[in-house]
């Protein structure tokens, strides 16, 4: 097998599995359909590991598989770039997807759309692989739109629900805003460089750094800044950064397995990957980096605060995803691309773990998602409880769990940054540490500790889900513990990603190299104590003094109302864009269609012709002397004109 065939087999095995499960699922049966889907994704994972070993041995591949079209000197190609960045993403995506596929067997066992769901998630994995393996902007865009399309299908999987229809429509429309920026950015790249190939663009970029364009208002824009900002708009849509974040919490309307896949390994990580891949361009624009830094800081802080007041167990985890995506974006803005991708990888493991653990609780609670109706579940769900605690400790950044290493790396990188907005970003990520720890263990304490708050009937039937559900939890808990310490040194020293991403030289900040050195340094670092303070605060509020949350809610009604309303973004967009679009459409219909076209042009013309015909009909009297008189008058007028002209 040639290398090209091996590389093609990685995404195509997922595509083939999706097609078989989708078109032939009813014929081959549920059992065969999920085996085909799992086999396809499992093969993709194994081949990704093989390719990763080969790439880290020094065999980087960048080549064209197929030329789709040519237009003058421009070639539109399908090809692969398999470097350290690509293979890390491939391994993470396929592993998390495989765990989700296995978990789905138990979670969706009674759903009538069983085979359709397996087809969708396999297709989702295929689209994400096409995106991360691409070596040109065209293929990137194909994978980008493929991920968006399948997410629409998955979020609205239960299409009988009105809420699901609204959620997938919101996701689709908000992402169209971001995708417009991406398309314009790709167009700007083509206009400036005359090529869509990554290697060609990156090699030519330093020579174009001073090229500028005069905008419509007379302002001068550097091409590099314009390109980076447009590409980042695309990343904001996919990675749900403020203000294009509103779709992600509503994606919870889809089944829990797809929530885990969207939030952990696919879709939302696409924007982070895009900026990291385009790091040679972003390093040429301080303005773009500052925008990325500030947007990420705002997302990390604001969305973490919203997570504090959520009562739906899945929405708490969803808003934590938004906050953690903010951390990754902050790292990108601080030029710590390795730290951003490192956090992306560790986050994928513990975030998938938390979502699947939440799904396990939902199964046990007969699809109840309100944490206020749970409590005391740790004895009935021991495996779910332990794995959820592991995921929460990793999310809170407690050593030695994986989230500690990647999050601290980001904080130190931001602390070392000197671009505009770095001071605000550093404060935001520090506050985010205590907020994250608080809402993470708020979930743990409300769900698994305290007195049971469900009714007796539900309580009597609570039990651990089957092994097909719990085994993926255990397998995801392992990298949530060890992945951070195992890869922190090569990630921060640049050995892990090599030349795949640009380096500003301060990824490591003031952190001592190596996992053991970081662990020894943790007790004298502020983030460590902020994490413990957040966990301790959650224990006080929800175990020691459970009456305090209600009292605080009453005392700070305005703040609670703001957070509960999610800062009014949804209402604002509903009134301005949704209702505004409807109002504009209604105005066009009322004044343009009904009054102008129908009233004036169509009906008005017909009415005018009718009135004219009525007047002209009166001339046709049938009397000879009327006609003679008309002829005489006409003859006199004609002669007068002829004589006096």
């Amino acid at each position: 097998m040639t290398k090209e065939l091996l590389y093609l087999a990685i995404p195509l095995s997922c595509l083939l599995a999706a097609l078989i499960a989708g078109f032939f699922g009813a014929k081959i049966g549920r059992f065969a359909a999920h085996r085909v889907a799992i086999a396809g994704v499992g093969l993709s994972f194994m081949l990704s590991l093989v390719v990763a070993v080969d790439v880290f041995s020094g065999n980087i591949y960048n080549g064209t598989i197929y030329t789709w079209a040519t237009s003058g000197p421009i070639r539109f190609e399908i090809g692969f770039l398999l470097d350290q960045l690509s293979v890390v993403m491939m391994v993470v995506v396929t592993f998390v997807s495989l765990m989700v596929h296995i978990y789905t067997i138990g979670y969706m066992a009674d759903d009538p759309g069983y085979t359709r769901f397996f087809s969708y998630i396999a297709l989702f994995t295929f689209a994400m692989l096409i995106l991360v393996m691409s070596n040109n902007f065209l293929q990137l865009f194909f994978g980008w739109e493929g991920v968006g399309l399948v997410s629409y299908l998955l979020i609205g999987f239960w299409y009988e629900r009105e809420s699901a229809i609204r959620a997938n429509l919101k996701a689709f429309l908000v992402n169209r805003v971001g995708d417009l920026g991406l398309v314009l950015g790709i167009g700007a790249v083509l206009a400036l460089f005359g090529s869509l190939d990554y290697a060609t663009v990156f090699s030519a970029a330093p020579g174009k750094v001073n090229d500028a364009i005069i905008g419509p208002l007379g302002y001068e824009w550097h091409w590099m800044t314009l390109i980076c900002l447009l590409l980042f708009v695309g990343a904001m849509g996919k990675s749900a950064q403020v203000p294009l974040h509103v779709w992600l919490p509503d994606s919870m309307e889809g089944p829990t397995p797809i929530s885990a896949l969207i939030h952990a390994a696919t879709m939302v990580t696409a924007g982070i990957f895009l900026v990291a891949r385009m790091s040679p361009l972003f390093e040429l624009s301080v303005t773009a980096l500052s925008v990325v830094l500030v947007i990420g800081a705002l997302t990390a802080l604001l969305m973490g605060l919203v997570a504090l007041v959520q009562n739906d167990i899945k929405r708490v985890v969803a808003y934590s995803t938004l906050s953690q995506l903010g951390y990754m974006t902050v790292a990108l803005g601080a030029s710590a691309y390795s730290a951003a991708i490192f956090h992306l990888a560790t986050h994928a493991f513990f975030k998938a773990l938390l979502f699947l653990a939440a799904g396990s609780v939902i199964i046990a609670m007969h699809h109840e998602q309100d944490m206020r109706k749970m409590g005391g579940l740790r004895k009935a769900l021991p495996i779910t409880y332990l794995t959820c605690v592991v995921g929460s400790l990793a999310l809170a950044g407690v050593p030695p769990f994986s989230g500690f290493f990647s999050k601290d790396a980001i904080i130190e990188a931001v602390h070392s940054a000197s671009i505009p907005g770095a001071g605000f970003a550093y404060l935001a990520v520090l506050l985010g540490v205590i907020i994250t720890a608080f809402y993470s263990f708020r979930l743990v304490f409300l769900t698994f500790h305290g007195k049971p708050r469900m009714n007796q009937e539900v309580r009597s039937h609570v039990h651990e889900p089957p092994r097909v559900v719990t085994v993926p939890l255990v397998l995801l808990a392992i990298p949530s513990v060890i992945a951070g310490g195992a890869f922190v040194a090569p990630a921060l020293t640049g050995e892990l990603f090599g030349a795949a991403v640009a380096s500003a030289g301060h990824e490591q900040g003031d952190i001592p190299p190596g996992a053991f050195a970081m662990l020894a340094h943790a007790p004298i670092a502020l983030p460590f104590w902020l994490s413990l303070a957040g966990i301790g605060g959650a224990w006080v509020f929800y175990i020691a003094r459970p009456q305090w949350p209600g009292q605080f809610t009453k005392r700070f009604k305005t703040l609670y109302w703001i957070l509960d309303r999610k800062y009014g973004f949804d209402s604002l967009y509903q009134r301005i864009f949704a209702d505004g679009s409807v109002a504009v459409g209604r105005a066009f219909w009322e004044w343009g269609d009904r009054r102008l076209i129908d009233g004036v042009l169509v009906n008005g013309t017909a009415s005018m012709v009718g009135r004219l015909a009525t007047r002209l009909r009166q001339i046709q009297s049938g009397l000879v002397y009327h006609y003679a008189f008309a002829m005489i008058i006409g003859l006199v007028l004609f002669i007068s004109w002829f004589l006096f002209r």
Side-chain angles (χ1 to χ4, degrees):
M1 179 184 291
T2 64
K3 284 191 174 182
E4 286 80 5
L5 291 176
L6 175 65
Y7 302 151
L8 279 169
I10 294 174
L12 291 183
S13 61
C14 297
L15 178 61
L16 180 62
L19 294 175
I20 294 174
F23 288 106
F24 305 103
K27 295 182 179 180
I28 64 177
R30 294 160 66 96
F31 182 74
H34 79 235
R35 292 189 69 177
V36 167
I38 292 172
V41 176
L43 176 62
S44 181
F45 171 61
M46 296 302 297
L47 294 178
S48 295
L49 288 176
V50 172
V51 173
V53 172
D54 186 53
V55 168
F56 282 109
S57 300
N59 299 315
I60 295 173
Y61 177 85
N62 183 15
T64 299
I65 303 297
Y66 174 71
T67 299
W68 181 50
T70 58
S71 180
I74 303 171
R75 298 171 63 87
F76 301 99
E77 300 172 336
I78 304 298
F80 294 140
L81 170 58
L82 298 177
D83 56 9
Q84 295 92 331
L85 176 61
S86 295
V87 296
V88 167
M89 292 294 299
M90 289 160 58
V91 171
V92 171
V93 168
T94 52
F95 175 72
V96 174
S97 180
L98 180 61
M99 296 299 102
V100 170
H101 274 70
I102 297 171
Y103 180 91
T104 299
I105 298 173
Y107 192 89
M108 301 291 288
D110 300 323
D111 197 282
Y114 187 81
T115 58
R116 176 166 59 92
F117 188 81
F118 273 100
S119 175
Y120 286 172
I121 57 177
L123 188 61
F124 205 23
T125 309
F126 161 76
M128 190 66 188
L129 288 171
I130 289 294
L131 191 158
V132 301
M133 294 173 68
S134 62
N135 71 343
N136 62 84
F137 287 91
L138 178 69
Q139 186 176 330
L140 170 87
F141 183 73
F142 285 164
W144 192 273
E145 291 301 308
V147 169
L149 171 63
V150 185
S151 70
Y152 173 83
L153 298 174
L154 285 165
I155 295 170
F157 182 79
W158 288 320
Y159 52 82
E160 301 90 351
R161 300 179 182 177
E162 180 69 23
S163 57
I165 298 172
R166 289 181 175 273
N168 72 351
L169 184 60
K170 180 189 282 190
F172 186 82
L173 293 176
V174 173
N175 274 279
R176 294 291 70 73
V177 176
D179 293 353
L180 176 61
L182 179 66
V183 170
L184 293 175
I186 293 174
V189 168
L190 187 59
L192 182 62
F193 297 98
S195 174
L196 294 176
D197 180 71
Y198 292 163
T200 303
V201 171
F202 296 160
S203 61
K208 304 282 188 179
V209 68
N210 294 319
D211 288 14
I213 184 174
I214 303 300
L217 299 178
Y219 292 103
E220 184 180 81
W221 283 81
H222 283 88
W223 270 106
M224 211 57 62
T225 297
L226 180 63
I227 289 171
C228 290
L229 289 178
L230 289 172
L231 293 176
F232 182 60
V233 170
M236 287 172 64
K238 277 288 187 289
S239 293
Q241 297 297 289
V242 172
L244 300 181
H245 67 284
V246 294
W247 69 270
L248 190 59
D250 287 356
S251 68
M252 298 299 98
E253 291 296 333
T256 296
I258 195 54
S259 299
L261 198 54
I262 287 177
H263 287 247
T266 60
M267 187 77 171
V268 297
T269 60
I272 307 300
F273 169 81
L274 172 67
V275 178
R277 176 61 78 196
M278 302 300 138
S279 58
L281 302 182
F282 278 84
E283 282 301 297
L284 300 176
S285 175
V286 175
T287 301
L289 288 175
S290 289
V291 171
V292 173
L293 184 74
V294 172
I295 292 294
L298 284 171
T299 305
L301 179 60
L302 297 180
M303 297 302 106
L305 289 171
V306 176
L308 294 174
V309 301
Q310 299 301 306
N311 295 310
D312 185 308
I313 188 171
K314 286 176 65 177
R315 285 188 175 268
V316 174
V317 186
Y319 277 102
S320 79
T321 299
L322 285 169
S323 183
Q324 296 306 303
L325 288 168
Y327 272 87
M328 300 173 207
T329 305
V330 165
L332 297 171
S335 298
Y337 305 101
S338 296
I341 301 299
F342 181 40
H343 192 55
L344 183 155
T346 60
H347 174 264
F349 300 131
F350 64 73
K351 186 51 55 71
L353 171 61
L354 286 172
F355 264 112
L356 298 187
S360 179
V361 172
I362 293 169
I363 294 173
M365 292 292 295
H366 303 283
H367 296 281
E368 176 60 65
Q369 296 183 196
D370 193 335
M371 295 186 298
R372 294 170 297 183
K373 299 178 181 179
M374 300 178 185
L377 294 177
R378 68 183 186 278
K379 293 183 179 179
L381 308 174
I383 298 175
T384 301
Y385 170 65
L386 290 174
T387 53
C388 186
V389 170
V390 168
S392 298
L393 287 169
L395 176 59
V398 176
F401 297 89
S402 60
F404 158 75
F405 297 98
S406 56
K407 186 180 288 187
D408 268 32
I410 292 173
I411 294 171
E412 288 299 325
V414 176
H415 187 221
S416 301
S418 58
I419 64 174
F424 166 72
Y426 183 61
L427 178 61
V429 294
L430 281 180
L431 290 174
V433 172
I434 189 170
I435 293 169
T436 302
F438 188 93
Y439 68 65
S440 300
F441 278 84
R442 174 178 178 265
L443 183 151
V444 172
F445 294 141
L446 279 177
T447 305
F448 297 101
H449 291 261
K451 296 180 180 179
R453 295 180 295 277
M454 71 288 291
N455 60 55
Q456 187 59 40
E457 183 180 355
V458 173
R459 185 180 178 184
S460 61
H461 290 89
V462 173
H463 59 85
E464 195 79 79
R467 281 184 294 179
V468 74
V469 172
T470 57
V471 168
L473 297 180
V474 175
L475 294 177
L476 285 166
I478 295 172
S480 298
V481 177
I482 67 173
F487 295 103
V488 63
L492 299 186
T493 57
E495 297 175 9
L496 183 61
F497 298 105
V501 296
S503 176
H506 60 255
E507 257 105 343
Q508 195 168 323
D510 297 327
I511 298 178
F516 292 107
M518 285 189 67
L519 291 172
H521 180 261
I524 62 173
L526 184 58
F528 172 78
W529 295 105
L530 290 175
S531 296
L532 294 185
I535 296 172
W539 180 84
V540 171
F541 271 72
Y542 296 98
I543 300 298
R545 298 288 187 272
Q547 71 278 10
W548 280 11
Q551 295 173 2
F552 270 71
T553 300
K554 293 178 180 179
R555 178 169 292 185
F556 301 100
K557 287 183 179 180
T558 303
L559 178 61
Y560 179 83
W561 182 83
I562 293 172
L563 296 178
D564 190 52
R565 298 270 298 184
K566 310 169 189 68
Y567 310 105
F569 280 105
D570 286 293
S571 301
L572 180 67
Y573 294 164
Q574 181 67 38
R575 292 184 180 182
I576 294 180
F577 297 108
D579 295 345
S581 298
V582 171
V584 170
R586 185 177 288 112
F588 274 112
W589 167 77
E590 176 69 25
W591 295 96
D593 187 53
R594 197 169 70 88
R595 298 195 179 189
L596 178 60
I597 297 175
D598 289 342
V600 177
L601 298 180
V602 179
N603 297 333
T605 304
S607 178
M608 182 182 66
V609 172
R611 289 194 296 271
L612 180 61
T614 300
R615 298 292 185 269
L616 293 176
R617 189 169 62 245
Q618 295 174 357
I619 300 174
Q620 305 293 326
S621 63
L623 301 175
V624 176
Y625 68 87
H626 284 174
Y627 300 146
F629 182 75
M631 292 173 66
I632 292 169
I633 295 294
L635 183 61
V636 170
L637 292 174
F638 178 75
I639 294 172
S640 300
W641 175 81
F642 184 77
L643 292 173
F644 297 105
R645 63 179 179 166

